[in-house]
Amino acid sequence: MTDPDAVPFDLASMRKQYRAEGLSETELAATPVEQFARWFKQAATDGGLFEPNAMIVSTADAEGRTSARTVLLKHFDEQGFVFYTNYDSRKARDLAENPYVSLLFPWHPMARQVQVTGVARRTGRDETAAYFRTRPHGSQLGAWASAQSSVISTRAELDGAYAELAARYPEGEQVPVPPNWGGFRVAPQTVEFWQGRENRLHDRLRYVERPDGSWRVERLSP
């Protein structure tokens, strides 16, 4: 039996009343990426968010077993949403077996969410290298030091690998791009914009890609 003192909050009664202002079809941009750019600018400047580009990436393997993790969005345009990772990580292995992916931007302080569903494809090596060069020196070394998602014996093992790399590539020296590291671009098929409203009657407007590449907008019941 659960110790009642271990959960000091009444979870059933925890709730916030969301804002009255909503989201209407007449306010939407012509494409979901344009609408995302509008909301992202507000999230980055006025949203009070620590990392507005943090998103939950959900994948499933060939057997349908799901996993999710928080990743940072590093670029977006009409072709899709880009993030970077080790290609031997669990998410990359999942995407190799099943390229369908979901991205969720949980902008809670603004009572907003954006959910993207689509297909992930690897970015080209030139694009990957260009981004890698923008990373801080320590992050470049970290991409080499970490065999992401693999089991390691101790933290000291990871720190030792990093120290060896730091000695080999001191600050100011170019670090090569790891061959098993790179980006994924998620080409959106649906993009839902969720605006919290009073009485849990939220606004949910979803762009759905048509076969010709244009978009239709549908309103979902909350």
Side-chain angles (χ1 to χ4, degrees), residues 139-158:
S139 296
Q140 293 181 6
L141 297 178
W144 279 97
S146 172
Q148 196 174 88
S149 299
S150 65
V151 176
I152 57 176
S153 57
T154 65
R155 171 73 195 203
E157 178 182 337
L158 179 64

Side-chain angles (χ1 to χ4, degrees), residues 6 11 36 63 75 95 101 110 112 147 159 175 185 187 195 198 200 202:
L11 298 180
F36 180 83
E63 304 300 320
H75 179 74
L95 292 173
V101 62
M110 306 175 71
R112 285 179 173 176
D159 291 339
V175 180
R185 174 174 284 100
Q195 175 66 70
E198 292 180 329
R200 296 301 187 263
H202 314 305

Side-chain angles (χ1 to χ4, degrees), residues 12-217:
S13 66
M14 292 180 69
R15 58 178 55 86
K16 295 287 187 181
Q17 187 66 279
Y18 295 141
R19 56 204 264 174
E21 306 86 48
L23 179 66
S24 70
E25 290 83 346
T26 59
E27 299 172 350
L28 291 179
T31 71
V33 172
E34 290 177 30
Q35 182 62 34
F36 180 83
R38 291 180 185 176
W39 270 24
F40 185 81
K41 182 178 180 180
Q42 293 173 4
T45 57
D46 305 321
L49 294 155
F50 176 63
E51 286 185 317
N53 60 326
M55 60 185 183
I56 299 167
V57 177
S58 298
T59 59
D61 64 16
E63 304 300 320
R65 292 169 296 200
T66 59
S67 61
R69 73 291 291 163
T70 301
V71 176
L72 296 180
L73 176 72
K74 287 300 177 181
H75 179 74
F76 68 90
D77 56 27
E78 291 293 341
Q79 281 66 56
F81 299 80
V82 179
F83 65 91
Y84 291 86
T85 188
N86 187 307
Y87 285 144
D88 295 325
S89 65
R90 178 174 178 177
K91 61 179 141 341
R93 295 197 306 269
D94 281 358
L95 292 173
E97 299 176 355
N98 177 359
Y100 293 97
V101 62
S102 172
L103 312 177
L104 177 65
F105 295 86
W107 295 333
H108 301 311
M110 306 175 71
R112 285 179 173 176
Q113 297 183 87
V114 181
Q115 184 180 86
V116 179
T117 65
V119 176
R121 297 285 185 265
R122 290 188 181 190
T123 59
R125 293 309 291 172
D126 288 345
E127 184 176 356
T128 290
Y131 168 70
F132 189 79
R133 299 286 173 240
T134 71
R135 287 165 64 94
H137 182 74
S139 296
Q140 293 181 6
L141 297 178
W144 279 97
S146 172
Q148 196 174 88
S149 299
S150 65
V151 176
I152 57 176
S153 57
T154 65
R155 171 73 195 203
E157 178 182 337
L158 179 64
D159 291 339
Y162 181 90
E164 290 180 8
L165 288 160
R168 187 185 312 169
Y169 301 106
E171 188 75 44
E173 186 167 332
Q174 182 168 295
V175 180
V177 182
N180 63 333
W181 187 95
F184 281 100
R185 174 174 284 100
V186 178
Q189 296 176 329
T190 71
V191 184
E192 179 185 328
F193 293 86
W194 182 100
Q195 175 66 70
R197 297 291 302 276
E198 292 180 329
N199 304 315
R200 296 301 187 263
L201 298 178
H202 314 305
D203 285 324
R204 298 176 60 189
L205 296 180
R206 180 171 63 187
Y207 291 79
V208 180
E209 187 180 31
R210 295 189 178 103
D212 64 0
S214 64
W215 299 92
R216 76 172 190 271
V217 175

